[in-house]
Amino acid sequence: YKRQTDKPAEPTTEKKSTSATTQPKSEPTQSKKKLSVLTWLKNVALIGIKGAVLISLIAGVWVTLTPYFRIDRNKDGDYMRNLPENTIDVLALGSSHMQYAFNPGVFYAETGKYSYVFGSVCQPFSESYYLLKEVLKTQKPEVVLIDVFTLLPQSQVCYADGTYYIAMDMMSGENRIDAAQGIPETVDEETALGYKMDLYMNHGNWKTMDLNQTEEILKNGQPEEGYAWELGYVAQQPEVFQYTPLEVLEPDAVTPLTDSEKEWIDKIVDLCNENQIHLIFLKTPYIENQEDANKLAGIWEYLEQKQVETIDFLRKAKELDWFLDMDGDTWHNNTWGAEIITKELARFIEEGDYIRHHKDNDEAAMLYEAARKRTAGYLMDKENINIYRLLEEASKYPCTILFRY
């Protein structure tokens, strides 16, 4: 035992050398870990790129196919975009109340200036904003007219979810997509999705397509050529030939605008200010009720705060000799009523000197001369019993005057 215990201890250099030799073995392990992380990241990146490419392809196919499935689409936007650029001096926006009340043929006869009605059925104010943006792509109007009917309670009678899509169908490109932001939360999610991505809504139209008529299908996806010869105006001939005074109601309370209504009015006001456009809100003559009278008071009050010009044709009807039946019905002006409203707006705009950069254009002049001639036929109808009005119209419209005595 003594010998064994006295035996000198074995040198420990081998253990040290062993530990020294094992350290380098960890470097390949770390390299492998780094390599595996890089490989994983590379695979993730490739998957992301492939996914992005796939989504882009799907989106491209979606966007490409969408126009071809819009059967019976609203072509009013195409007709507006076909107008000679930067020729419109006055733009009228709004619902059918504006479409029936403002006649560009009359405005041209009175002023020699060019105007256009870009209206749609029960046009929501949010869509009026985006329609104005659509016009500003190709035109620089100096005056914008907007009828406030769709802010009134009675407008709910004509309201339907489809009023948003009809207006959006007049737009193009990103503006059409942006306009979907104006769809209220009250519209159910599936309908709203169909408006925003309308191939989802229209894809079933292939069932009614004649796949042998390739040219017709391809034509459906292309912009419509030509013009709206009425320039957005909708003519309605007089039917009841009697002079009925229009009753105007006084508000018994003031109904304020909602936050959403104020928001879209503000957007329109700001957009007009940015483009140096003189903005006029108006209400054309119609049969109002007490709820509408109260809401109108709230509208005029808010617009006065915004320092925006307004015209209330309900209160001007008597002054202008505008009569129910003879000049319009429950909601809409007929051709004679539209002449009265448009003449007053022409006078107001001319006296205000709001159009300062009008430029004559041969192509536009052809359109407006045609509208003036068509208007002459409307106004000098055989049913027009007012001889003095006929003679006044004869001084502005192409016609031959014959007297029988």
Side-chain angles (χ1 to χ4, degrees):
Y1 295 114
K2 187 176 181 182
R3 287 178 188 170
Q4 291 175 356
T5 54
D6 290 342
K7 188 177 179 180
E10 293 180 3
T12 59
T13 54
E14 291 183 8
K15 289 184 179 180
K16 288 181 180 179
S17 62
T18 303
S19 63
T21 54
T22 56
Q23 277 183 335
K25 289 181 180 180
S26 66
E27 291 180 4
T29 304
Q30 291 176 359
S31 298
K32 288 179 180 179
K33 287 181 179 179
K34 289 180 181 178
L35 185 62
S36 63
V37 171
L38 290 172
T39 303
W40 180 81
L41 290 172
K42 183 179 178 182
N43 290 335
V44 170
L46 286 172
I47 291 170
I49 292 170
K50 289 178 180 178
V53 171
L54 180 62
I55 291 171
S56 298
L57 286 172
I58 292 172
V61 172
W62 187 287
V63 171
T64 303
L65 290 178
T66 293
Y68 298 98
F69 285 83
R70 291 173 182 157
I71 297 176
D72 298 326
R73 64 186 179 85
N74 187 345
K75 299 173 182 177
D76 290 346
D78 291 337
Y79 297 139
M80 185 281 298
R81 287 183 285 272
N82 291 340
L83 293 170
E85 286 194 11
N86 301 327
T87 54
I88 296 177
D89 300 306
V90 176
L91 175 70
L93 296 169
S95 68
S96 58
H97 283 229
M98 180 64 88
Q99 290 176 294
Y100 283 83
F102 188 83
N103 183 346
V106 172
F107 193 83
Y108 179 71
E110 295 289 328
T111 66
K113 307 298 196 309
Y114 309 143
S115 58
Y116 201 85
V117 184
F118 209 37
S120 61
V121 57
C122 227
Q123 188 179 104
F125 252 62
S126 59
E127 304 315 296
S128 296
Y129 169 75
Y130 288 105
L131 286 169
L132 174 55
K133 291 187 73 173
E134 185 70 22
V135 172
L136 291 176
K137 291 179 183 179
T138 56
Q139 301 292 333
K140 294 180 180 178
E142 295 190 75
V143 178
V144 166
L145 310 170
I146 301 183
D147 186 90
V148 300
F149 176 68
T150 49
L151 296 175
L152 301 177
Q154 276 199 71
S155 68
Q156 294 303 307
V157 175
C158 73
Y159 173 81
D161 295 343
T163 58
Y164 289 90
Y165 187 73
I166 290 169
M168 289 169 61
D169 217 12
M170 298 162 67
M171 305 176 204
S172 62
E174 292 183 8
N175 193 45
R176 180 183 180 123
I177 299 171
D178 292 342
Q181 297 175 19
I183 299 175
E185 295 179 357
T186 52
V187 177
D188 67 89
E189 292 182 7
E190 186 173 357
T191 301
L193 178 64
Y195 292 170
K196 294 173 185 177
M197 308 178 71
D198 58 329
L199 183 59
Y200 170 77
M201 181 175 64
N202 296 330
H203 69 277
N205 286 342
W206 68 271
K207 297 175 184 177
T208 60
M209 292 179 179
D210 185 350
L211 300 180
N212 295 320
Q213 299 293 327
T214 309
E215 290 185 8
E216 288 300 317
I217 295 173
L218 294 175
K219 184 180 177 182
N220 191 52
Q222 302 303 317
E224 188 73 8
E225 297 180 356
Y227 306 105
W229 290 96
E230 295 283 3
L231 304 169
Y233 169 62
V234 178
Q236 176 178 260
Q237 293 292 11
E239 294 180 355
V240 181
F241 303 101
Q242 62 185 26
Y243 293 95
T244 305
L246 181 67
E247 182 181 4
V248 181
L249 301 177
E250 294 297 330
D252 56 19
V254 175
T255 304
L257 290 165
T258 66
D259 290 340
S260 176
E261 290 167 342
K262 290 179 181 178
E263 177 189 356
W264 290 111
I265 287 176
D266 292 350
K267 284 178 177 285
I268 292 170
V269 171
D270 292 342
L271 184 58
C272 286
N273 288 338
E274 290 169 12
N275 289 274
Q276 299 179 325
I277 296 170
H278 190 87
L279 177 61
I280 303 171
F281 287 93
L282 58 91
K283 183 68 219 81
T284 59
Y286 78 114
I287 298 179
E288 66 175 343
N289 58 24
Q290 192 61 56
E291 282 187 308
D292 280 17
N294 294 347
K295 188 63 180 282
L296 266 176
I299 294 169
W300 301 144
E301 184 179 280
Y302 184 73
L303 291 173
E304 185 178 1
Q305 294 172 8
K306 298 288 293 183
Q307 297 182 329
V308 179
E309 207 143 31
T310 61
I311 302 176
D312 188 346
F313 281 102
L314 290 165
R315 298 187 177 280
K316 290 180 73 72
K318 184 176 181 181
E319 170 194 338
L320 298 173
D321 289 331
W322 190 100
F323 290 92
L324 195 63
D325 295 326
M326 186 61 78
D327 299 310
D329 58 22
T330 308
W331 273 14
H332 298 138
N333 282 260
N334 59 36
T335 52
W336 297 344
E339 184 202 20
I340 294 172
I341 300 302
T342 308
K343 280 176 63 176
E344 176 61 15
L345 285 168
R347 181 199 65 77
F348 186 83
I349 291 169
E350 288 285 275
E351 287 185 3
D353 195 24
Y354 297 141
I355 301 174
R356 299 183 178 183
H357 301 96
H358 169 79
K359 292 182 179 179
D360 289 331
N361 179 283
D362 291 342
E363 189 176 354
M366 175 195 69
L367 292 172
Y368 286 91
E369 272 299 325
R372 190 170 74 102
K373 290 178 181 178
R374 193 174 291 106
T375 298
Y378 296 148
L379 298 180
M380 288 179 269
D381 185 88
K382 63 181 180 180
E383 303 292 349
N384 193 339
I385 59 176
N386 189 329
I387 184 65
Y388 300 104
R389 187 168 177 175
L390 279 169
L391 289 172
E392 182 185 355
E393 288 158 352
S395 67
K396 299 171 184 174
Y397 297 95
C399 65
T400 300
I401 302 174
L402 300 175
F403 285 97
R404 188 176 70 175
Y405 61 94

